[in-house]
Amino acid sequence: MRQRLGALGVPVPDWAEVGDRSALASFLAAHGGAAVVKTPRGGYDGKGVRVVRSAAEAEDWLAAGPLLAEELVDFRRELAQLVARRPSGDVASWPLAETVQVDGVCAEVIAPAPHAGRLADEAREIATAVADGLDVTGVLAVELFETADGGLLVNELAMRPHNSGHWTIDGAVTSQFEQHLRAVLDLPLGDTSPVHPVSVMVNVLGGPAGARMPDRYPAALAAHPDVKFHSYGKESRPGRKVGHVTATGVDAPTTRERARAAATFFDA
Ligand SMILES: Nc1ncnc2c1ncn2[C@@H]1O[C@H](COP(=O)(O)OP(=O)(O)OP(=O)(O)O)[C@@H](O)[C@H]1O
Ligand SMILES: [Mg+2]
């Protein structure tokens, strides 16, 4: 992914493939003594991602094969640009979203990203260039860092409907799931306009109690008639994404508070 993005001229963090301790030590020395190492396969939700300050801290993973080492980006916030592309070439983009990660796992998404300004255009141009350059069919999420100096770097790509786009079910004319089907069938892409000024999605993670999300629907629905609840029907395991809630409203702070309050009904 990093090689292809580099070839497309898309801004990415400094990176290197490191096969052994000395290669990682050199990378650390050249990047202020800290790096993010990532396993090339199988990672998600922060699994396979580790911040290291010495090569020894990646010893176990290096034993299994080469790793991706990246500079530890000093970001202001994380953003995600969702687009969809159909084989005949049309690309549709939803508003840029802000994503909040806790322990490497997406916790909240705010759409549109507050105070995005020119970053909204830049993100759309980057995601469109990636979709065209990689000949993507379907939904593509481009995870981005907004750097301390106000620039954008691409973190990673997800070539599918993505957690950063779940808000579109309740908050956009066309959801990412409908759009994905439209795109793969090469049908006209739907309208990506938001239907409310702000949508905030909060993830529901499984906990040790093992309660299923729908068990708590009556209380949650009674308390929050204006919030939308989604359960994935998955077995609840600690830290596993088992559902989400979406609140829509007119301003980000109060909409976020409503979404957070509704999600607490499913706390373990
Ligand atoms: N180079 C970096 N510098 C700083 N933080 C980083 C860097 N790479 C990743 N992170 C942090 O770790 C999180 C998870 O990393 P990343 O998105 O690469 O992996 P993932 O676990 O596969 O995520 P996903 O579930 O989105 O696929 C990022 O959202 C970000 O908060
Ligand atoms: Mg990610």
Side-chain angles (χ1 to χ4, degrees):
M1 182 190 73
R2 287 270 172 258
Q3 284 166 354
R4 293 293 299 273
L5 288 173
L8 288 174
V10 165
V12 295
D14 271 347
W15 65 276
E17 186 180 326
V18 295
D20 56 30
R21 271 174 77 149
S22 76
L24 180 53
S26 307
F27 188 88
L28 283 164
H31 293 86
V36 179
V37 293
K38 301 184 178 183
T39 56
R41 287 181 189 279
Y44 70 100
D45 286 351
K47 296 174 179 66
V49 176
R50 189 187 284 171
V51 177
V52 299
R53 292 190 161 76
S54 76
E57 290 172 53
E59 182 92 70
D60 51 343
W61 285 359
L62 280 168
L67 301 174
L68 171 64
E70 295 180 356
E71 66 172 303
L72 179 62
V73 176
D74 177 23
F75 57 79
R76 276 187 197 155
R77 59 175 172 172
E78 293 184 77
L79 301 163
Q81 178 63 58
L82 195 72
V83 298
R85 183 174 179 276
R86 60 187 286 206
S88 52
D90 287 346
V91 176
S93 58
W94 286 269
L96 180 65
E98 176 174 344
T99 68
V100 180
Q101 271 62 231
V102 177
D103 297 332
V105 183
C106 177
E108 297 179 1
V109 176
I110 305 148
H115 314 297
R118 63 172 172 78
L119 293 180
D121 294 328
E122 288 177 26
R124 192 178 56 247
E125 282 161 20
I126 288 171
T128 303
V130 171
D132 285 337
L134 300 182
D135 200 19
V136 169
T137 293
V139 168
L140 163 72
V142 180
E143 297 182 3
L144 298 152
F145 298 123
E146 180 181 337
T147 56
D149 62 1
L152 291 177
L153 296 174
V154 173
N155 173 26
E156 63 167 353
L157 308 178
M159 291 187 192
R160 52 178 165 76
H162 186 247
N163 200 171
S164 64
H166 287 349
W167 69 271
T168 62
I169 301 169
D170 302 301
V173 175
T174 306
S175 81
Q176 62 170 346
F177 298 100
E178 176 184 338
Q179 197 79 300
H180 190 71
L181 293 174
R182 288 182 166 279
V184 299
L185 295 168
D186 206 12
L187 292 169
L189 297 177
D191 181 356
T192 51
S193 305
V195 289
H196 301 278
V198 186
S199 297
V200 178
M201 188 240 40
V202 175
N203 274 329
V204 175
L205 303 182
R212 289 171 58 257
M213 199 176 164
D215 296 341
R216 301 184 184 170
Y217 268 176
L221 289 163
H224 293 280
D226 52 355
V227 169
K228 300 301 180 191
F229 297 91
H230 299 266
S231 168
Y232 307 154
K234 289 178 173 176
E235 189 190 328
S236 178
R237 286 201 302 264
R240 187 181 202 195
K241 289 173 182 164
V242 293
H244 71 268
V245 309
T246 302
T248 54
V250 292
D251 71 90
T254 58
T255 308
R256 196 171 182 182
E257 283 316 308
R258 283 171 42 236
R260 285 180 175 181
T264 62
F265 277 80
F266 309 102
D267 283 351

